[in-house]
């Protein structure tokens, strides 16, 4: 029964009420509604003039609500409300969130694998469903795919993306994971100055990575004819590198937020879940990139 | 150090008025909201089903335009899957899991409330597409490309983004449930002491975390195909419509088990309670649930036997699908073995549970028939498929939810429901569901395709019978609503343990439940 107390386990902090969830739910509504309107408008499906306003309000509210929510969570923790058990909940929550993120990317990797291992060879008249090739006379399977099965309908890119910039980017990201680990070790040993420097170095590396990535996209569109609408090579290239890039941007924002928290004196050697979660996220983004580097650029 | 607002400390009762429901962090409030929301969606999706069955009552275009009929079949499926069945199970999880494991609340209470409140907004967007130019989604609940990308209505982007936030809600809810079970069990509540409802939800939450992001990735590709002319599902650019189907069913098949595993948990609680015997083969139930979940990742292409896969792939997916019958058979065997030799009584939850075991098994058998690839060539996309999945979803998932609601309603409200009316509800539902869906087997075997607003004359009789059953089933759910509301308003006072043979921590608590329970964990023997 509820009355039989168990002294060793401290009470679990359950906030009495909160306005944050409804604010966030409404924000997501604005983002979805406005986002759909903007997409309709931009792609010329339908005129939609209100979408851009709704989306803008949604984005502002999104940033505000997330900031308030995380600030509140951090304050609660520093006020000593979070028992060891609650902190364990946060840790597990973050781990499962990363699992779900991995599965999001798995859909894109899986799509690329299916197209390259089965679909395109079949369309080129090879393999178990070689009869498919009859529909696409003269189509040959090469990867990167520069000549699409029906080039008159979907013209392919002129050139494939070269691997030099991505190799630099791989080096940058791996280095950033190392510097972040140095920062983590410095935090454990309470070397605050060293922590700040390594964290700053990680942020710089992240921003340089994003710069190179932006340059690569510019090259793809301006000189290689490699665009979203240039067939399956461009589609898979942009969806994988694009969503990775979005995750790097989110990771960088997290790192910057962590940097400011460090400046304010947050986190201690034994107690720094916020930092740890950010680091996990960053390493995850790094691992995705390494996979992506081999699958998208090399093989 | 910043001060934390004062009201966060004290554990007094709920806020007053409607605002309470908006800002609540209490798992019972949130569970109740999930259940009411699910019931509202059940009635809405049910109303769409009534339109479908009214149109099919006799041959010819009698009631609605074919274009609108397509929107009805699509919206019926989407709303029932994502709006009615899934939220109902999440609601039961929210309400019952903390009680069953002796936890004070869900692991992350604010995230929990967010997961719920996304849903009304998501469905507002989804349903509003019906009123947009070009109408709502009309491509079936499976939204196959290129039907949904190249040929879909302009509102498809709204549909996709509604699905995105709905998926985010599911993922957050699943993470919350998994962390609650993993981290919040009272001391002494070891893994193999957990009630099966908790076990099945642990595994279901795992499935959700694994496949909802794949759905998110898939609809993102759709979105890009529609708005940025990418070629994921366009063969001319080297993509493939089959890629859509593979990814969809990689999500879709585990999704099917997401809608049935918690049902297994509910039935495994109710049958022992009314047979007054412990569940037969508890450990084998746990392993069978895990086996079904793992196998569910390797069977997806049995939805696609007719698309032109290599024979080796058809063979693989046929065999892997049939293997699932083994752990499922273990479960059915265990339920029957629990009943054998028990001192059974037939209160309403038990009636629904027994109907579940019988009718779900029928749905399972027709599933085995569909799993046979060469035979599936005949059955594919016919009413036989419709009959099959309605047998596992309606007298399967939906009956288990009703069984669970009747089982725990006295605990939630503190009142007993009206037993006589509830029995009328059961028998009307039972007869309605069989009259509605059993003839659809014959229609399918005779070759009537699914998702059509008109049909040749030879299908007229069975369609009319099926429609009458559907109307009876639909009508009986209004009675269900009446019974539940009547029970909430008042009735005979319920004891802490209204069912003699019920087992579990939730029955140690008073009925109705106090606002906060297990603020300090109970001792488990």
């Amino acid at each position: 029964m509820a009355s039989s107390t168990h002294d060793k386990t401290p009470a679990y902090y359950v906030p009495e009420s909160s306005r944050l969830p409804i604010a966030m739910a409404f924000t997501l509504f604005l983002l979805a509604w406005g986002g759909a309107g903007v997409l309709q408008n931009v792609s010329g499906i339908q005129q939609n003039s209100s979408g851009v306003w709704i989306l803008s309000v949604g984005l502002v509210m999104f940033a505000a609500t997330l900031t308030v929510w995380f600030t509140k969570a951090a304050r609660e923790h520093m006020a000593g409300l979070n028992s060891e058990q609650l902190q364990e909940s946060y840790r597990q929550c973050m781990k499962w969130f990363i699992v779900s993120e991995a599965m999001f990317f798995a859909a894109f990797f899986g799509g690329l694998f299916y197209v390259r291992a089965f679909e395109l060879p079949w369309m080129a008249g090879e393999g178990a469903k070689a009869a498919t090739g009859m529909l696409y006379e003269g189509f040959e399977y090469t990867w990167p795919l520069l000549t699409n099965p029906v080039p008159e309908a979907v013209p392919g890119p002129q050139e494939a993306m070269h691997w030099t910039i991505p190799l630099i980017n791989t080096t940058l990201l791996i280095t950033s994971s190392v510097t972040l680990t140095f920062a983590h070790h410095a935090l454990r040993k309470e070397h605050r100055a060293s922590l700040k420097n390594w964290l700053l170095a990680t942020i710089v590396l992240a921003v340089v990575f994003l710069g190179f990535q932006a340059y690569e996209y510019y090259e793809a569109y301006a000189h290689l004819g490699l665009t979203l609408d240039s067939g399956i090579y461009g589609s898979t290239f942009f969806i994988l590198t694009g969503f990775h890039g979005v995750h790097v941007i989110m990771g960088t924002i997290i790192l910057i937020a962590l940097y400011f928290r460090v400046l304010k004196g947050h986190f201690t050697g034994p107690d720094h879940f916020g930092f740890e979660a950010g680091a996990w996220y960053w390493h995850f983004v790094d691992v995705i990139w390494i996979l992506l580097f081999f699958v998208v650029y090399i093989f | 150090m910043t001060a934390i607002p004062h009201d966060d400390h004290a554990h007094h009762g709920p806020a007053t008025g409607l605002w309470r429901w908006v800002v609540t962090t209490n798992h019972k409030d949130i569970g109740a909201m999930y259940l009411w929301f699910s019931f509202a969606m059940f009635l809405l999706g049910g109303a769409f089903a009534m339109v479908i069955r009214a149109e099919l009552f006799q041959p010819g275009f009698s009631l609605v335009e074919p274009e609108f009929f397509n929107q009805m079949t699509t919206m019926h499926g989407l709303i029932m899957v994502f709006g009615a069945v899934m939220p109902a199970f999440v609601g039961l999880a929210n309400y019952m899991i903390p009680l069953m494991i002796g936890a004070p609340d869900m692991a992350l209470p604010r995230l929990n409330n967010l997961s719920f409140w996304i849903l009304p907004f998501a469905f507002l967007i989804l349903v509003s597409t019906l009123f947009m130019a070009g109408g709502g989604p009309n491509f079936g609940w499976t939204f196959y490309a290129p039907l949904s990308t190249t040929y879909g209505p302009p509102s498809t982007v709204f549909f996709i983004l509604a699905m995105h936030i709905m998926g985010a809600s599911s993922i957050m809810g699943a993470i919350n449930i998994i962390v609650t079970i993993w981290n919040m069990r009272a001391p002494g509540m070891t893994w193999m002491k957990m009630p099966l409802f908790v076990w099945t939800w642990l595994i279901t939450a795992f499935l959700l975390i694994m496949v909802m992001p794949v759905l998110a990735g898939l609809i993102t590709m759709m979105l890009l195909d529609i708005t940025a002319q990418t070629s994921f599902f366009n063969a001319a650019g080297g993509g493939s419509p089959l890629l859509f189907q593979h990814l969809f069913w990689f999500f879709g098949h585990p999704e099917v088990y997401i809608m049935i595993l918690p049902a297994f948990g509910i039935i495994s609680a109710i049958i022992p309670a009314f047979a007054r015997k412990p569940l037969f083969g508890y450990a084998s139930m746990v392993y069978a649930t895990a086996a079904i979940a793992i196998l569910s990742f390797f069977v997806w292409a049995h939805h696609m036997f007719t698309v032109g896969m290599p024979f080796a792939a058809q063979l693989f997916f046929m065999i892997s699908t049939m293997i699932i019958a083994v752990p499922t058979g273990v479960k059915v065997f265990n339920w029957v073995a629990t009943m054998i030799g028990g001192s059974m009584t037939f209160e309403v939850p038990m009636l629904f549970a027994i109907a579940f075991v019988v009718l779900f098994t029928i749905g399972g058998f027709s599933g085995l028939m569909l799993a046979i690839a060469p035979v599936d060539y005949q059955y594919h996309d016919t009413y036989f498929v419709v009959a099959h999945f309605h047998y596992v979803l309606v007298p399967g998932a939906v009956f288990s939810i009703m069984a669970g609601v009747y089982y725990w309603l006295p605990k939630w409200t503190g009142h007993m429901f009206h037993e006589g009316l509830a029995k009328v509800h059961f028998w009307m539902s039972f007869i309605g569901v069989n009259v509605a869906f059993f003839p659809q087997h014959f229609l399918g075997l005779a070759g009537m395709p699914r998702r059509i607003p008109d049909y040749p004359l030879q299908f007229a009789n069975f369609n009319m019978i099926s429609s009458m059953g559907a109307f009876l089933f639909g009508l009986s759910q209004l009675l269900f609503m009446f019974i539940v509301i009547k029970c909430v308003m008042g009735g005979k006072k319920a004891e802490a343990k209204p069912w003699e043979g019920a087992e579990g921590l939730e029955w140690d608590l008073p009925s109705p439940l106090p606002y906060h329970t297990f603020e300090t964990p109970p001792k488990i023997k």
Side-chain angles (χ1 to χ4, degrees):
Chain A
M1 270 292 302
S3 54
S4 68
T5 41
H6 189 79
D7 298 328
K8 276 177 202 154
T9 317
Y12 200 84
Y13 172 59
V14 178
E16 191 63 28
S17 65
S18 175
R19 272 167 292 186
L20 288 165
I22 190 70
M24 185 51 104
F26 185 66
T27 301
L28 291 176
F29 168 69
L30 293 180
L31 289 179
W33 188 269
V38 167
L39 284 170
Q40 276 193 335
N41 209 29
V42 169
S43 59
I45 298 171
Q46 207 164 55
Q47 277 295 315
N48 189 319
S49 50
S50 59
V52 62
W53 298 107
I54 300 171
L55 181 65
S56 307
V57 175
L59 286 171
V60 172
M61 274 187 70
F62 187 70
T65 316
L66 265 191
T67 311
V68 174
W69 197 323
F70 279 104
T71 309
K72 192 170 167 62
R75 282 185 182 155
E76 280 166 5
H77 177 64
M78 290 187 303
L81 290 173
N82 296 359
S83 60
E84 176 47 40
Q85 195 188 11
L86 184 71
Q87 293 176 52
E88 178 60 24
S89 289
Y90 278 132
R91 279 193 287 273
Q92 292 186 3
C93 179
M94 188 65 198
K95 286 175 193 166
W96 286 109
F97 172 65
I98 289 175
V99 171
S100 79
E101 288 274 54
M103 289 309 292
F104 181 67
F105 278 99
F108 304 139
F109 281 115
L112 180 61
F113 172 77
Y114 177 76
V115 166
R116 288 183 57 181
F118 298 108
E119 185 57 28
L120 289 173
W122 292 345
M123 289 172 102
E126 304 158 21
K129 303 304 288 182
T132 318
M134 289 192 292
L135 294 169
Y136 305 96
E137 217 169 307
F139 171 65
E140 276 183 46
Y141 168 48
T142 52
W143 194 267
L145 189 68
L146 299 183
T147 310
N148 289 323
V150 188
E152 312 85 68
V154 185
Q158 282 96 54
E159 257 181 84
M161 184 53 75
H162 200 254
W163 51 264
T164 35
I165 294 181
L167 184 63
I168 298 171
N169 265 347
T170 310
T171 324
L172 286 172
L173 269 196
I174 293 178
T175 316
S176 77
S177 256
V178 174
T179 53
L180 188 61
T181 306
F182 285 161
H184 201 164
H185 282 296
L187 173 55
R188 285 219 184 96
K189 290 183 193 142
E190 300 276 11
H191 296 164
R192 305 292 295 192
S194 160
L195 162 64
K196 274 177 218 164
N197 293 338
W198 285 121
L199 193 51
L200 196 59
T202 314
I203 294 168
V204 170
L205 288 167
V207 172
V208 176
F209 172 92
L210 286 170
F212 274 117
Q213 194 70 11
Y215 173 71
E216 192 190 56
Y217 275 22
Y218 165 74
E219 278 289 303
Y221 261 79
H223 300 127
L224 306 181
L226 179 61
T227 59
L228 276 166
D229 54 6
S230 65
I232 193 66
Y233 174 57
S235 306
T236 51
F237 171 80
F238 280 107
I239 205 163
L240 276 162
T241 55
F243 273 101
H244 179 267
V246 169
H247 281 73
V248 174
I249 293 172
M250 291 200 292
T252 311
I253 294 171
I254 293 171
L255 290 176
I256 292 170
L258 290 178
Y259 184 71
F260 281 108
R261 286 190 67 187
V262 168
L263 287 187
K264 284 177 90 178
H266 291 199
F267 307 126
T268 62
D271 179 16
H272 51 261
F273 168 68
F275 186 94
E276 203 167 24
W280 288 342
Y281 191 79
W282 191 254
H283 294 314
F284 160 73
V285 171
D286 196 10
V287 169
I288 292 289
W289 174 264
I290 293 168
L291 261 176
L292 190 157
F293 174 66
F294 285 107
V295 179
V296 173
Y297 295 99
I298 302 292
F299 298 119
Chain B
M1 199 83 29
T2 319
I4 301 297
H6 190 72
D7 61 358
D8 276 357
H9 285 296
H11 277 272
H12 41 65
T16 48
L18 283 178
W19 191 241
R20 159 189 173 180
W21 301 96
V22 177
V23 296
T24 185
T25 50
N26 183 288
H27 72 101
K28 302 180 192 75
D29 284 356
I30 296 168
M33 286 197 293
Y34 262 113
L35 287 165
W36 279 112
F37 174 78
S38 145
F39 190 66
M41 288 296 115
F42 182 60
L43 292 183
L44 182 64
F48 293 167
M50 295 300 109
V51 174
I52 295 168
R53 283 322 312 177
E55 172 62 44
L56 295 174
F57 191 74
Q58 52 189 20
F61 296 137
S62 42
L63 195 68
V64 293
E65 294 295 311
E67 183 53 30
F68 186 69
F69 182 88
N70 287 342
Q71 294 175 38
M72 286 293 101
T73 52
T74 307
M75 288 299 245
H76 166 70
L78 289 170
I79 286 181
M80 286 304 196
V81 168
F82 296 102
V85 173
M86 283 169 71
F89 282 129
V90 180
L92 289 170
N94 256 299
Y95 220 124
M96 300 316 298
I97 287 175
L99 303 178
M100 288 176 161
I101 61 173
D105 206 294
M106 295 291 281
L108 301 152
R110 281 173 292 212
L111 199 67
N112 199 18
N113 197 26
L114 171 59
S115 305
F116 170 73
W117 276 106
I118 288 173
L119 287 181
F121 290 116
F123 280 88
L124 181 68
I125 298 178
L126 185 62
V127 174
S128 71
T129 58
L130 284 175
F131 304 100
M132 289 180 185
N138 55 8
F139 27 68
W141 87 274
T142 50
F143 48 97
Y144 277 7
L147 195 57
S148 58
T149 51
T150 312
Y151 306 102
S155 66
T156 309
V157 273
F158 280 88
F159 155 75
I160 289 173
L161 288 172
M163 294 295 286
H164 260 309
I165 60 174
M166 202 187 296
S169 151
S170 283
I171 292 169
M172 286 188 277
I175 290 177
N176 216 339
I177 288 170
I178 223 169
V179 174
T180 303
I181 298 171
W182 209 283
N183 190 38
M184 304 275 292
R185 281 168 292 132
M189 178 59 79
T190 54
W191 289 111
M192 294 311 265
K193 274 188 194 163
M194 290 194 324
L196 263 170
F197 182 66
V198 181
W199 257 116
T200 52
W201 245 114
L202 179 72
I203 291 163
T204 304
F206 172 73
L207 288 180
L208 276 166
I209 293 173
M210 294 298 282
V211 301
M212 289 311 286
V214 175
L215 177 69
L218 172 68
I219 57 180
T220 305
M221 292 183 199
M222 266 177 78
L223 194 62
L224 287 171
D225 266 15
I226 292 170
T227 60
Q229 284 72 51
T230 51
S231 298
F232 291 109
F233 312 129
N234 178 8
S240 166
L242 282 192
L243 171 60
F244 179 95
Q245 296 188 22
H246 280 293
L247 285 174
F248 181 84
W249 287 114
F250 183 82
F251 148 78
H253 204 79
E255 165 72 18
V256 172
Y257 294 135
I258 287 163
M259 292 191 285
I260 204 66
L261 292 183
F264 292 165
I266 295 169
I267 300 304
S268 303
I270 291 174
I271 288 182
F274 296 96
R276 292 166 184 77
K277 256 180 75 187
L279 184 69
F280 184 89
Y282 170 87
S284 66
M285 284 297 218
V286 173
Y287 299 136
T289 311
I292 292 172
I294 291 163
L295 285 169
S296 76
F297 289 110
F298 302 99
V299 298
W300 75 87
H302 66 214
H303 296 267
M304 307 162 53
F305 281 142
T306 60
V307 300
M309 278 190 295
F311 286 120
Q314 295 192 27
L315 192 63
F316 171 81
F317 285 108
M318 175 169 123
I319 292 170
S320 62
T321 304
M322 290 183 166
I323 291 172
I324 292 202
V326 177
T328 314
V330 168
K331 286 185 166 290
V332 174
F333 178 88
N334 285 350
W335 290 321
V336 175
T338 307
M339 287 190 268
I340 290 174
S343 358
M344 295 216 285
T345 49
F346 300 95
E347 285 89 341
V348 178
M350 185 61 162
L351 289 175
F352 274 102
I354 294 172
F356 171 95
V357 175
V358 176
L359 299 182
F360 172 78
T361 306
I362 292 176
F365 282 142
S366 58
L368 268 179
M369 292 168 73
L370 288 164
I372 304 167
V375 179
D376 180 71
Y377 276 48
Q378 160 109 5
Y379 302 156
H380 189 87
D381 256 350
T382 67
Y383 256 83
F384 191 79
V385 178
V386 177
H388 157 69
F389 69 72
H390 279 92
Y391 256 87
V392 287
L393 278 175
V394 186
V398 172
F399 270 27
S400 81
I401 293 164
M402 289 172 178
V405 168
Y406 280 123
Y407 185 56
W408 288 305
L409 202 53
K411 176 59 56 188
W412 298 336
T413 62
H415 307 127
M416 297 306 287
F417 52 85
H418 192 294
E419 182 80 16
L421 280 180
K423 281 198 166 137
V424 174
H425 169 231
F426 168 75
W427 286 109
M428 277 172 75
S429 296
F430 181 81
I431 294 166
V433 94
N434 283 295
V435 174
F437 297 118
F438 210 80
Q440 294 182 0
H441 290 112
F442 308 135
L443 286 171
L445 292 178
M448 178 169 159
R450 63 193 284 208
R451 291 171 176 156
I452 53 161
D454 188 16
Y455 47 82
L457 279 178
Q458 71 265 30
F459 301 133
N461 287 347
F462 279 136
N463 265 303
M464 190 177 281
I465 295 169
S466 174
S467 287
M468 290 193 286
F471 297 149
L472 177 66
F473 184 79
L475 195 65
S476 67
Q477 301 327 310
L478 298 176
L479 179 61
F480 181 45
M481 179 167 70
F482 175 74
I483 295 165
V484 172
I485 292 176
K486 187 167 144 49
C487 179
V488 173
M489 307 289 274
K492 208 179 104 214
K493 194 140 173 31
E495 295 158 32
K497 191 168 136 179
W499 316 114
E500 188 193 0
E503 294 280 345
L505 285 179
E506 73 262 36
W507 306 110
D508 292 345
L509 296 163
S511 308
L513 292 159
Y515 195 57
H516 291 288
T517 41
F518 295 133
E519 283 181 278
T520 46
K523 267 271 199 307
I524 317 287
K525 291 141 271 178

